């Protein structure tokens, strides 16, 4: 039996990418239906890639209908993260600013900088297509908070560059007197995020209530 997804933000760039990928996937089926008349019975997981307003609407829908909630929407407020935590007491919840595998490996590398925190300055740089609404990117914010935790000192705010059709580039720079180390992740297409979103949806469909992360998905 296929896992039935309902997509919040289905007409958007990510929504269309997820629909296309779900179409080729034997385990899931995605519907674009998103209206008050929507049939609750035919949903297993709510997947949201929209806007903060769309996120709030779809999270409320998931809680009300007791369905797992997976979201990659960025630009959320502190209050939104509180809502996610509250929802996790009732349903499985997974939010990630970046659903790619590479970014999660990059996050795992950040604690390494603890060893050189006195010797290097640090800076995060992100590049995205000119149509991206929020800056810095949600991923840059996640990298920043984990970097600050690793080096235990203030780090200048991420530098955001907007232009062209860039799907997403994130760099962590460690700047020493005599050397510069750059760790860079490039998303080569949007499918990488959609693939992660489907993995997350399948993962949450099998889970009980709680707050999950992409690291949990990767661990399986
Ligand atoms: N976590 C990740 O891996 C990842 C990767 C890429 C993007 N993102 C994030 O995903 C989100 C969507 O990105 P995108 O590039 O797909 O954006 P997009 O092309 O602008 O699409 C946004 C979609 O959300 C819908 N939407 C907006 N406000 C809504 C509301 N109040 N209620 C219902 N639907 C609403 C839009 O519908 P209408 O056109 O009808 O308004 C549209 O379908 C952004 O926050 C982006 O940063 C995350």
């Amino acid at each position: 039996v296929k896992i039935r997804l309902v997509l919040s933000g289905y007409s958007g760039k990510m929504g269309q990418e997820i629909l296309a990928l779900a179409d080729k996937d034997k385990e899931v089926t995605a519907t674009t239906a998103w209206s008050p008349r929507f049939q609750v019975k035919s949903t297993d997981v709510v997947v949201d890639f929209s806007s903060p307003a769309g996120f709030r609407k779809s999270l409320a829908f998931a809680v009300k209908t007791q369905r797992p909630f997976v979201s990659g929407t960025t630009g959320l407020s502190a209050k939104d993260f509180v809502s996610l935590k509250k929802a996790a007491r009732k349903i499985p919840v997974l939010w990630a600013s970046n659903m790619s595998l590479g970014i999660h490996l990059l996050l795992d590398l950040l604690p390494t900088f603890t060893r050189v925190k006195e010797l290097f300055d640090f800076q995060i740089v992100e590049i995205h297509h000119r149509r991206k609404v929020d800056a810095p990117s949600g991923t840059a914010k996640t990298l920043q908070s984990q970097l600050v935790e690793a080096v235990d000192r203030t780090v200048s705010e991420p530098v955001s560059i907007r232009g062209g059709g860039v799907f997403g580039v994130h760099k962590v720079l460690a700047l020493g007197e005599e050397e510069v180390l750059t760790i860079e992740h490039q998303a080569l297409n949007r499918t990488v995020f959609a693939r992660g979103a489907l993995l997350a949806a399948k993962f949450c469909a099998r889970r009980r209530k709680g707050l999950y992360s992409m690291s949990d998905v990767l661990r399986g």
Side-chain angles (χ1 to χ4, degrees):
V1 183
K2 288 190 173 191
I3 300 166
R4 297 158 303 179
L5 315 179
V6 65
L7 295 181
S8 153
Y10 64 87
S11 62
K13 292 183 279 297
M14 276 305 297
Q16 290 298 306
E17 199 68 47
I18 294 170
L19 274 179
L21 208 59
D23 223 31
K24 292 182 240 156
D25 194 306
K26 289 194 190 81
E27 292 173 56
V28 300
T29 154
T31 163
T32 58
W34 182 251
S35 78
R37 280 170 282 117
F38 183 67
Q39 302 253 317
V40 172
K41 274 192 210 136
S42 56
T43 309
D44 295 314
V45 183
V46 178
V47 178
D48 164 66
F49 280 79
S50 59
S51 65
F55 162 90
R56 284 166 208 139
K57 258 200 285 186
S58 53
L59 178 61
F61 175 81
V63 171
K64 198 170 134 215
T65 58
Q66 293 282 296
R67 297 296 189 269
F69 181 73
V70 170
S71 173
T73 298
T74 62
L76 302 180
S77 67
K79 214 173 142 200
D80 291 325
F81 288 109
V82 172
S83 307
L84 272 177
K85 275 194 190 146
K86 260 195 199 161
R89 288 188 219 139
K90 295 187 178 149
I91 55 172
V93 168
L94 188 152
W95 176 87
S97 55
N98 192 306
M99 301 254 177
S100 72
L101 172 64
I103 280 291
H104 291 273
L105 292 177
L106 172 51
L107 285 167
D108 284 349
L109 294 175
L110 295 182
T112 311
F113 289 127
T114 309
R115 285 188 260 154
V116 291
K117 61 182 180 184
E118 309 296 343
L119 303 171
F120 288 79
D121 294 317
F122 300 93
Q123 180 68 55
I124 286 165
V125 178
E126 56 103 348
I127 315 173
H128 279 89
H129 56 86
R130 64 174 85 86
R131 289 166 299 279
K132 183 163 178 66
V133 185
D134 50 326
S137 67
T139 307
K141 288 189 199 165
T142 305
L143 287 166
Q144 177 83 358
S145 72
Q146 300 211 14
L147 179 61
V148 167
E149 202 174 297
V151 299
D152 196 23
R153 53 182 255 219
T154 34
V155 175
S156 306
E157 285 304 301
V159 171
S160 300
I161 300 168
R162 292 288 172 268
V166 179
F167 293 111
V169 171
H170 291 89
K171 303 184 196 200
V172 181
L173 278 74
L175 304 142
E177 282 295 340
E178 290 157 348
E179 56 184 329
V180 173
L181 170 66
T182 307
I183 309 180
E184 176 171 332
H185 177 264
Q186 297 189 8
L188 301 181
N189 54 35
R190 231 172 242 117
T191 318
V192 68
F193 307 125
R195 206 176 297 288
L198 288 189
L199 280 176
K202 289 175 197 174
F203 175 90
C204 284
R206 299 189 300 265
R207 291 297 180 291
R208 290 178 184 278
K209 64 186 176 182
L211 195 59
Y212 301 99
S213 69
M214 281 310 281
S215 303
D216 297 320
V217 175
L218 297 177
R219 278 194 293 266

